[in-house]
């Protein structure tokens, strides 16, 4: 049987693979870190009583294949959300940094070229 | 000819979900695919069934659109999985 | 005349089984209903006499903290996380072992909030594919109307549909539920819910219920707080009234003694309470509803009213409507209790079964895309004459 997995590509990322590690707790819960109630409602004092259901266990007391799949997918979803959020932050910082550098450059040029005018007395 | 993968949707994620059998994968494709994309110029999804695997190819104009779209579809996939698991 | 028996039940049975799934707002409902096959339905106009038996009516409401409304994303999460468990509970309560026995799965197609509606339809589609059972998409308002008709047996009443998302005065004519009067801006339930948020009263069991209880505690019923009265022809508007009562509440809480309506100009004593405002707000809004309902009744020459939707649970509204109906050639008001006036899955199954029996099953899954806007008069009411 093939694996639960994902592959990400972007102009600056040739290939990034995502796999799951079935032994880690992160991939063995139906309650994902990135899929809880929205921050807004938590701040307003919401207690979460609407968590996803637990997985189903068979007669031998083991989680069914589909329950495991759901839990593994929940962990993978968290990984994807966290990775993409990180990428978004990096892009934002890069943009801010570029905007800052452009601003500093413009200020320096202004000083070098046109600053004399302001010393003129009227 | 209309391309199914537009080059400007340059941020892509390919997700492979292995079901127990072909029937489950078929159900998943049919339960997920009817819904139209709100902004097709920013986001595109292709659902494919390969034997008992569901493959989903997401392509987006940037990482933000990709993240929102992928997470939302995964929520639906988990719903399909839970429904089959509990009610078949 | 109409034949409701054109599509026979499964397996040569003498009854239909319908599963209904509702999730257009913050209530998630799963209902299972049974319709016996009756000879009187071969050629008649009796879709309000189905002898429907309710085998399960399960509901869970998404509740937010006081002062907060429910957002689509969190509401959809609630529905996603509870849907399968509620379906399981409904099947158990209805004692259905083989779900493939179900004739049709009915789901709310709209109107309502997009993400929550979608959460529910994914479950409906999956079940349909899993059990090989046909699907029917139901208009939420028509669900309320058909449930109201079946429960109260009202013969062709004017329907006042009042809820958090809708305010319409409806009359049946030539296979359509036609809207005679409606809100020009917000729904009455929305008006009451938002005022409840301003007052920060709890959302459990519902904000409207809690406003009703506060209104009952008013000790100054003879001295109404004057509020804008905004009936406009057949329609009504409520956003102005909401803005006004919110400003009254703000003045009350900030002890703005310059507001002469709330504080005695001489003594600066508070002369109007929150209970008084709640009472006056209800009296004012309900009087407006009574007026547009009466207009609709005059147009179609009816003396019967059926109130459906969550706000229909309000006892004071029922009283005021009953008074008007009685004064109009001894008419009657019909209403259902909170099991059915509040959003539920059974009403979707009821309307869905009627649609199904008239050949309305979905032929392709592309027909199951949900829609936030879905006017009541868009539905072809094939099951009535």
């Amino acid at each position: 049987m093939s694996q639960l997995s994902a592959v990400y590509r972007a102009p600056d990322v040739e290939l990034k693979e995502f796999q799951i590690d079935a032994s880690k707790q992160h991939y063995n819960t139906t309650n994902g870190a990135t899929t809880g109630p929205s921050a807004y409602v938590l701040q307003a004092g919401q207690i979460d009583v609407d968590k996803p259901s637990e997985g189903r266990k068979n007669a031998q007391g083991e989680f069914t294949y589909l329950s495991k799949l759901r839990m593994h997918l929940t962990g993978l979803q968290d990984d994807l959300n966290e990775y993409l959020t990180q990428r978004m932050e990096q892009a934002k910082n890069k943009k801010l940094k570029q905007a800052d550098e452009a601003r500093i450059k413009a200020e320096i040029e202004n000083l070098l070229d046109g600053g004399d005018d302001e010393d003129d007395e009227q | 000819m209309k391309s199914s993968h537009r080059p400007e949707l340059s941020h892509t994620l390919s997700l492979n979900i292995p079901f127990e059998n072909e029937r489950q994968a078929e159900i998943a494709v049919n339960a997920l695919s009817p819904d139209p994309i709100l902004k097709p110029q920013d986001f595109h999804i292709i659902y494919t069934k390969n034997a008992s695997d569901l493959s989903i190819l997401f392509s987006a104009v940037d990482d933000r659109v990709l993240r929102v779209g992928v997470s939302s579809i995964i929520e639906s996939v988990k719903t399909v999985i839970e429904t089959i698991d509990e009610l078949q | 005349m109409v034949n409701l028996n054109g599509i026979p039940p499964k397996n040569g049975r003498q009854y239909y089984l319908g599963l209904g799934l509702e999730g257009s707002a913050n209530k998630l409902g799963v209902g299972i209903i049974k319709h016996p096959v009756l000879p009187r339905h071969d050629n008649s106009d009796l879709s309000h006499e189905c002898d429907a038996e309710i085998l399960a009516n399960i509901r869970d409401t998404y509740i937010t903290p006081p002062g907060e409304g429910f957002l689509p994303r969190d509401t959809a999460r609630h529905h996603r996380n509870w849907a399968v468990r509620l379906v399981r509970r409904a099947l158990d309560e209805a004692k259905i072992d083989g779900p493939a026995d179900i004739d049709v799965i009915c789901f709310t197609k709209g109107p309502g909030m997009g993400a929550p509606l979608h959460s529910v339809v994914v479950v409906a589609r999956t079940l349909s594919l899993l059990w090989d059972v046909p699907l029917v998409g139901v208009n939420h308002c028509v669900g309320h109307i058909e449930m109201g008709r079946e429960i109260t047996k009202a013969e062709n009443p004017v329907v006042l549909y009042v809820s958090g998302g809708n305010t319409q005065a409806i009359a049946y004519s030539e296979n359509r539920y036609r809207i005679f009067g409606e809100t020009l801006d917000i729904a009455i339930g929305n008006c009451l819910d938002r005022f409840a948020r301003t007052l920060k009263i709890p959302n459990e069991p519902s904000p409207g219920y809690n406003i009703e209880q506060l209104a009952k505690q008013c000790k100054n019923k003879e001295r109404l707080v004057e509020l804008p009265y905004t009936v406009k022809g057949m329609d009504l508007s409520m956003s102005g009234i909401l803005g006004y009562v919110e400003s009254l509440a703000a003045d009350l809480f900030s002890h703005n003694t310059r507001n002469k309506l709330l504080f005695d100009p001489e003594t600066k004593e508070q002369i109007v309470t929150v209970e008084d405002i709640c009472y006056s707000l209800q009296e004012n809004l309900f009087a407006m509803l009574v007026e547009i309902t009466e207009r609709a009744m005059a147009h179609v020459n009816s003396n019967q009213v059926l109130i459906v939707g969550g706000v229909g649970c309000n006892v004071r509204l029922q009283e005021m409507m009953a008074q008007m109906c009685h004064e109009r050639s001894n008419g009657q008001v019909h209403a259902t209790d909170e099991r059915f006036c509040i959003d539920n899955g059974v009403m979707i199954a009821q309307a869905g079964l009627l649609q199904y029996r008239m050949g309305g099953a979905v032929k392709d899954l592309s027909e199951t895309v949900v829609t936030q806007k879905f006017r009541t008069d868009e539905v072809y009411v094939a099951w009535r004459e």
Side-chain angles (χ1 to χ4, degrees):
Chain A
M1 194 163 271
S2 68
Q3 301 295 334
L4 174 67
S5 60
V7 173
Y8 169 78
R9 288 183 176 88
D12 58 329
V13 176
E14 194 176 311
L15 191 138
K16 173 158 173 72
E17 280 190 60
F18 292 84
Q19 311 271 8
I20 65 117
D21 180 351
S23 67
K24 291 219 168 82
Q25 178 51 28
H26 174 73
Y27 301 100
N28 286 294
T29 172
T30 54
N31 192 21
T34 61
T35 49
S38 58
Y40 175 79
V41 85
L42 286 171
Q43 269 158 22
Q46 180 79 304
I47 312 284
D48 185 19
V49 295
D50 304 316
K51 296 184 176 63
S53 64
E54 302 266 317
R56 193 167 76 87
K57 289 194 170 152
N58 59 22
Q60 288 74 45
E62 297 156 354
F63 282 118
T64 61
Y65 175 88
L66 288 175
S67 291
K68 284 191 253 184
L69 181 63
R70 184 156 69 101
M71 293 190 283
H72 296 166
L73 186 52
T74 304
L76 177 61
Q77 182 183 24
D78 280 346
D79 293 343
L80 295 170
N81 277 333
E82 280 158 14
Y83 174 73
L84 290 171
T85 303
Q86 209 177 52
R87 295 255 314 155
M88 283 161 56
E89 280 300 312
Q90 281 167 4
K92 192 176 92 180
N93 287 337
K94 188 170 162 191
K95 216 169 168 184
L96 279 173
K97 192 167 169 221
Q98 280 171 347
D100 251 358
E101 282 174 4
R103 180 180 57 81
I104 290 171
K105 181 166 179 236
E107 279 175 14
I108 291 173
E109 277 172 14
N110 194 34
L111 279 171
L112 291 172
D113 297 337
D116 294 339
D117 296 358
E118 283 155 50
D119 292 336
D120 286 350
E121 293 206 7
Q122 294 292 342
Chain B
M1 189 179 81
K2 198 173 170 189
S3 168
S4 57
H5 177 97
R6 292 177 17 244
E8 64 269 31
L9 302 185
S10 55
H11 296 243
T12 68
L13 190 88
S14 170
L15 180 61
N16 187 64
I17 301 156
F19 283 93
E20 286 180 295
N21 55 54
E22 291 211 32
R23 183 168 181 262
Q24 289 178 2
E26 182 82 33
I27 290 174
V29 174
N30 289 323
L32 298 169
S33 53
D35 303 301
I37 310 280
L38 276 173
K39 290 195 184 156
Q41 67 273 29
D42 288 349
F43 191 59
H44 193 65
I45 310 181
I46 302 176
Y47 297 96
T48 316
K49 183 185 92 63
N50 295 315
S52 54
D53 288 356
L54 170 63
S55 277
I56 313 181
L57 176 61
F58 303 91
S59 28
V61 70
D62 62 34
D63 285 326
R64 185 187 61 82
V65 170
L66 187 64
R67 189 196 69 183
V68 169
V70 166
S71 196
S72 167
I73 297 296
I74 292 181
E75 290 296 293
S76 295
V77 175
K78 291 189 298 185
T79 302
V80 171
I81 294 173
E82 188 192 352
T83 306
I84 299 175
D85 198 17
E86 294 284 344
L87 294 167
Q88 69 182 327
Chain C
M1 287 298 131
V2 165
N3 176 14
L4 281 173
N5 295 330
I7 310 249
K10 273 185 169 179
N11 306 326
R13 283 192 321 238
Q14 286 306 298
Y15 60 88
Y16 300 91
L17 283 176
L19 171 72
L21 301 167
E22 154 59 31
S24 58
N26 65 330
K27 276 76 76 187
L28 174 65
V30 179
I32 300 180
I33 212 168
K34 180 177 172 181
H35 278 188
V37 175
L38 299 167
R40 69 170 184 249
H41 282 142
D42 280 347
N43 191 17
S44 59
D45 191 16
L46 294 171
S47 55
H48 62 311
E49 289 183 15
C50 293
D51 284 3
E53 195 186 328
I54 292 155
L55 304 181
N57 187 10
I58 313 284
R59 178 169 61 211
D60 194 278
T61 305
Y62 170 57
I63 306 274
T64 41
E68 300 302 322
F70 49 91
L71 298 171
R73 190 197 130 160
D74 295 306
T75 309
R77 175 178 182 266
H78 167 271
H79 292 359
R80 265 197 309 269
N81 291 347
W82 282 107
V84 172
R85 281 177 279 186
L86 295 202
V87 170
R88 163 54 58 211
R89 231 180 269 174
L91 290 170
D92 289 346
E93 194 168 295
K95 298 193 181 26
I96 293 178
D97 292 317
D101 277 350
I102 290 172
D103 288 279
V104 61
I105 296 168
C106 317
F107 66 92
T108 309
K109 186 172 164 71
M113 300 168 88
L117 282 171
H118 178 256
S119 298
V120 175
V121 82
V122 170
V123 176
R125 288 175 191 152
T126 308
L127 290 175
S128 168
L129 293 160
L130 204 54
W131 299 339
D132 196 20
V133 170
L135 282 165
V136 146
V138 176
N139 177 298
H140 181 86
C141 316
V142 172
H144 275 293
I145 295 172
E146 292 307 333
M147 200 70 225
R149 293 180 69 226
E150 177 68 17
I151 297 281
T152 67
K153 305 279 177 267
E155 294 250 15
N156 212 18
V158 161
V159 177
L160 178 67
Y161 171 35
V162 276
S163 69
N166 296 277
T167 297
Q168 300 170 9
I170 293 159
Y172 175 76
S173 161
E174 290 181 26
N175 305 109
R176 302 267 169 189
Y177 286 116
R178 301 184 191 269
I179 302 171
F180 274 73
E182 59 185 318
T183 177
L184 296 169
D185 40 50
I186 59 178
I188 180 171
N190 186 242
C191 181
L192 294 167
D193 288 355
R194 281 160 69 178
F195 186 54
R197 275 182 246 158
T198 310
L199 299 178
K200 290 224 193 291
I201 61 183
N203 290 320
E204 184 111 53
S206 78
Y209 177 81
N210 290 329
I211 296 209
E212 185 179 3
Q213 304 320 302
L214 282 173
K216 281 185 192 162
Q217 291 159 38
C218 166
K219 295 186 176 58
N220 284 322
K221 291 188 177 167
E222 335 70 43
R223 243 195 82 169
L224 280 175
V225 176
E226 199 179 327
L227 300 174
Y229 185 87
T230 42
V231 166
K232 303 183 176 180
M234 303 290 294
D235 300 314
L236 75 166
S237 149
M238 286 175 279
S239 54
I241 299 174
L242 175 62
Y244 184 66
V245 290
E246 281 178 335
S247 74
L248 283 184
D251 281 350
L252 204 62
F253 294 151
S254 65
H255 209 76
N256 180 5
T257 53
R258 281 169 304 170
N259 187 324
K260 298 200 194 78
L261 208 65
L262 305 174
F263 298 93
D264 185 288
E266 311 285 316
T267 67
K268 306 294 179 199
E269 251 182 77
Q270 185 182 334
I271 50 179
V272 163
T273 64
V274 160
E275 289 81 356
D276 296 340
I277 300 178
C278 286
Y279 177 76
S280 298
L281 178 61
Q282 284 196 171
E283 294 297 297
N284 195 60
L285 291 174
F286 295 167
M288 289 165 47
L289 290 178
V290 166
E291 185 176 336
I292 67 154
T293 308
E294 193 170 9
R295 290 246 160 90
M297 288 163 84
H299 264 264
V300 300
N301 208 15
S302 166
N303 69 345
Q304 307 282 307
V305 173
L306 168 62
I307 311 181
V308 300
V311 181
C313 294
N314 189 298
V315 171
R316 184 60 189 139
L317 173 60
Q318 292 175 22
E319 265 172 26
M320 288 172 71
M321 198 65 70
Q323 197 175 341
M324 176 274 287
C325 283
H326 185 76
E327 283 162 16
R328 261 191 88 79
S329 51
N330 240 349
Q332 240 192 309
V333 85
H334 307 265
T336 60
D337 64 43
E338 59 81 40
R339 286 173 299 162
F340 305 111
C341 56
I342 298 179
D343 290 347
N344 61 86
V346 173
M347 73 190 198
I348 302 300
Q350 174 64 18
L353 258 176
L354 289 169
Q355 267 175 251
Y356 174 72
R357 291 171 71 172
M358 297 308 296
V362 156
K363 302 200 175 23
D364 184 274
L365 285 173
S366 60
E367 296 167 54
T368 66
V369 174
V370 296
T371 173
Q372 286 179 221
K373 300 205 188 313
F374 189 1
R375 279 181 75 74
T376 317
D377 54 18
E378 283 180 50
V379 177
Y380 182 76
V381 182
W383 53 94
R384 288 182 70 168
E385 172 63 30

